[in-house]
Amino acid sequence: MGASTGLPIDPGPTGYTLAPDGPAPPGEAVNVLVTRHRRQPRDRMGQRLTASGRSLIVRALTTLYGAGPAPAELARDVHKRWSVPALGLAASVAHCAAYSAVALAPAARAIGVDIQDERDRPHALRWLGELLGRQGRASIRDFAECEALIKASHLTKETFAGTRLPDWRPGWRPTGTVPYQVRSLVLWADGAPPLHLALACDAPAPVRFHHLEQE
């Protein structure tokens, strides 16, 4: 499986802590497991084959809570938001290159997570900048926050126009879509480009990060 270790974060955001190793009690906060998959299999074109979102959530539950329900026990609502009824948890999952992130929150919360790398995508960022009412292109951080907001809320890419993000600052920030708030930070790993990680939730909540290196 691998050891649970600390993952450096940028010094700007405050309010983020790395949780100690070992299972965490369900429901007390938003727990985010960031996993680096060192040896992902590749297809014939050399592209990494990523595990399904359902299996990543089950793996995170086992790692953080010591209890992993069968994949079939996970549920999704009409907005495609994940939940784990047996453990009273809401869940969200994202993956990017060799990394995945799973966010777990009390079932009463709506949670969304996203991670993005620094790949150049001028057309997508220009399009998103227009949706957000920006003078120029959106940033990768904006992109991650918007994806997390879509995962947590009723919004879709088709109904996202008119949504506004507040200027960045540490901690939770209210969006133009009540009651949802977002927060984001940069993750740094040795020998790898920075990753932008964003969370969205329908209410502010304490956040604990866990990091897993998986062979």
Side-chain angles (χ1 to χ4, degrees), residues 5 9 15 18 29 35 43 45 61 64-65 67 69 74 76 78 89 92 97 110 112 124 134 158 168 170 176 208 212:
T5 60
I9 63 176
L18 290 168
T35 303
D43 62 21
M45 303 299 293
L61 291 166
L64 296 182
Y65 302 130
L74 272 59
R76 299 188 85 175
V78 295
L89 294 169
S92 184
R134 301 284 172 81
E158 292 71 33
W168 187 86
R208 298 198 307 166
L212 184 65

Side-chain angles (χ1 to χ4, degrees), residues 7-11 13 34 36 95-100 114-121 139-141 143-144 184-198:
L7 185 71
I9 63 176
D10 62 346
V34 179
R36 176 157 58 173
H95 55 77
C96 180
Y99 291 85
S100 65
D114 194 62
I115 50 175
Q116 297 290 333
D117 59 18
E118 291 280 0
R119 279 175 297 142
D120 188 30
R121 50 194 110 178
S139 66
I140 296 295
R141 188 191 292 271
F143 194 97
S184 58
L185 74 163
V186 181
L187 302 174
W188 299 87
D190 56 306
L195 285 174
H196 296 266
L197 188 148

Side-chain angles (χ1 to χ4, degrees), residues 7-215:
L7 185 71
I9 63 176
D10 62 346
T14 58
Y16 289 92
T17 57
L18 290 168
D21 296 349
E28 65 178 16
V30 175
N31 280 287
V32 181
L33 176 66
V34 179
T35 303
R36 176 157 58 173
H37 308 270
R38 289 185 174 272
R39 298 182 182 176
Q40 284 178 300
R42 295 177 182 265
D43 62 21
R44 284 189 237 174
M45 303 299 293
Q47 300 296 318
R48 288 186 175 92
L49 296 174
T50 306
S52 69
R54 192 180 294 268
S55 65
L56 289 171
I57 292 172
V58 170
R59 188 177 302 162
L61 291 166
T62 302
T63 301
L64 296 182
Y65 302 130
E73 295 181 64
L74 272 59
R76 299 188 85 175
D77 66 11
V78 295
H79 301 299
K80 299 183 179 180
R81 296 178 295 201
W82 290 101
S83 64
V84 193
L87 295 178
L89 294 169
S92 184
V93 61
H95 55 77
C96 180
Y99 291 85
S100 65
V102 175
L104 298 160
R109 300 269 68 87
I111 188 70
V113 66
D114 194 62
I115 50 175
Q116 297 290 333
D117 59 18
E118 291 280 0
R119 279 175 297 142
D120 188 30
R121 50 194 110 178
H123 299 297
L125 295 180
R126 189 177 301 113
W127 171 78
L128 182 58
E130 292 175 0
L131 284 185
L132 293 173
R134 301 284 172 81
Q135 294 299 314
R137 297 194 307 181
S139 66
I140 296 295
R141 188 191 292 271
D142 295 330
F143 194 97
E145 290 185 348
C146 289
E147 288 289 332
L149 182 56
I150 287 172
K151 292 179 182 181
S153 71
H154 59 282
L155 294 171
T156 66
K157 289 179 172 63
E158 292 71 33
T159 62
F160 199 80
T163 298
R164 296 292 180 265
L165 293 178
D167 291 338
W168 187 86
R169 59 175 171 77
W172 292 104
R173 297 134 52 217
T175 68
T177 302
V178 178
Y180 298 98
Q181 301 202 16
V182 294
R183 69 187 300 173
S184 58
L185 74 163
V186 181
L187 302 174
W188 299 87
D190 56 306
L195 285 174
H196 296 266
L197 188 148
L199 291 169
C201 192
D202 58 353
V207 180
R208 298 198 307 166
F209 276 90
H210 313 257
H211 177 222
L212 184 65
E213 292 285 330
Q214 188 171 63
E215 296 298 332

